[in-house]
Amino acid sequence: WVGGAAILQKTGLEMEMAVNTSPSESVVDEVFASLSDEEQEKQRDDWKEELKMTENEILTLMQVIAAKEEQATQLKRKIGITAWAEMSEDMVVGMKNIQESTVKIADNLQSAREKTSRVVSGYFQTWSSKVGEAYRGSNFQFGGQGANKEGEDGNNGAKDSGHPQ
């Protein structure tokens, strides 16, 4: 990598791929495959060197972060912020978040209850209305009365003795 761009050589022409662009792997693979064996080996060596540099930069950054964390710890100690105080504050914040979540859950449950109640109520009102319409439009009567008027049951009004006739 030179100045943020990878340089691949192909028959004397330099092709630069800016870091901000992200060519598909197939394009990179095609360009790499078109290089001679010698150029491919050179490119692999360049990539290995770049990988070493990148890994070294990562290690350096991790060391810088560790040093900054230690510095922050020392400063906190100097101004009286202890690990216990930080943990206590985190616990207070955590409990507050749990309480707020509980209230939100309760509100959501109440809202769901109300919506469900409205839907179920509406369903039963519609069902009841349909049953009522069907009932009013027929000769059917609940309780078995009215469908078989006297004399229409084949007994000529006689009471059923329970024996076949």
Side-chain angles (χ1 to χ4, degrees):
W1 287 79
V2 176
I7 300 175
L8 298 175
Q9 292 182 353
K10 178 182 177 190
T11 62
L13 297 175
E14 289 187 350
M15 297 176 58
E16 293 188 15
M17 294 183 295
V19 172
N20 295 338
T21 62
S22 55
S24 68
E25 287 184 22
S26 61
V27 172
V28 173
D29 291 342
E30 289 174 18
V31 172
F32 184 76
S34 69
L35 298 174
S36 69
D37 290 342
E38 204 174 273
E39 291 170 328
Q40 286 182 2
E41 189 60 35
K42 167 91 171 79
Q43 185 62 56
R44 282 189 192 100
D45 290 341
D46 289 346
W47 287 337
K48 287 177 185 176
E49 183 63 31
E50 180 185 348
L51 177 59
K52 275 185 196 177
M53 289 173 40
T54 302
E55 288 174 339
N56 286 336
E57 288 175 3
I58 291 170
L59 288 173
T60 301
L61 290 171
M62 290 172 68
Q63 290 170 350
V64 168
I65 289 171
K68 292 292 183 180
E69 286 177 338
E70 179 59 30
Q71 182 182 9
T73 300
Q74 290 174 2
L75 291 171
K76 286 178 183 179
R77 195 172 346 161
K78 288 178 181 178
I79 56 177
I81 299 174
T82 63
W84 179 256
E86 284 187 81
M87 186 181 75
S88 296
E89 184 180 336
D90 289 345
M91 291 294 290
V92 168
V93 170
M95 290 303 294
K96 181 181 177 194
N97 289 342
I98 289 172
Q99 289 170 345
E100 290 172 358
S101 296
T102 303
V103 169
K104 287 179 184 177
I105 289 170
D107 289 345
N108 288 341
L109 284 174
Q110 181 62 31
S111 176
R113 248 186 246 114
E114 291 169 0
K115 288 177 183 177
T116 302
S117 177
R118 283 193 302 268
V119 168
V120 169
S121 176
Y123 171 77
F124 281 117
Q125 285 178 352
T126 301
W127 180 79
S128 176
S129 172
K130 296 291 183 185
V131 168
E133 289 173 17
Y135 172 73
R136 284 188 295 279
S138 71
N139 290 331
F140 178 78
Q141 292 183 0
F142 288 103
Q145 298 176 4
N148 287 330
K149 294 188 172 86
E150 195 174 324
E152 293 179 359
D153 59 4
N155 289 346
N156 292 327
K159 292 198 176 199
D160 188 5
S161 63
H163 300 290
Q165 295 183 8

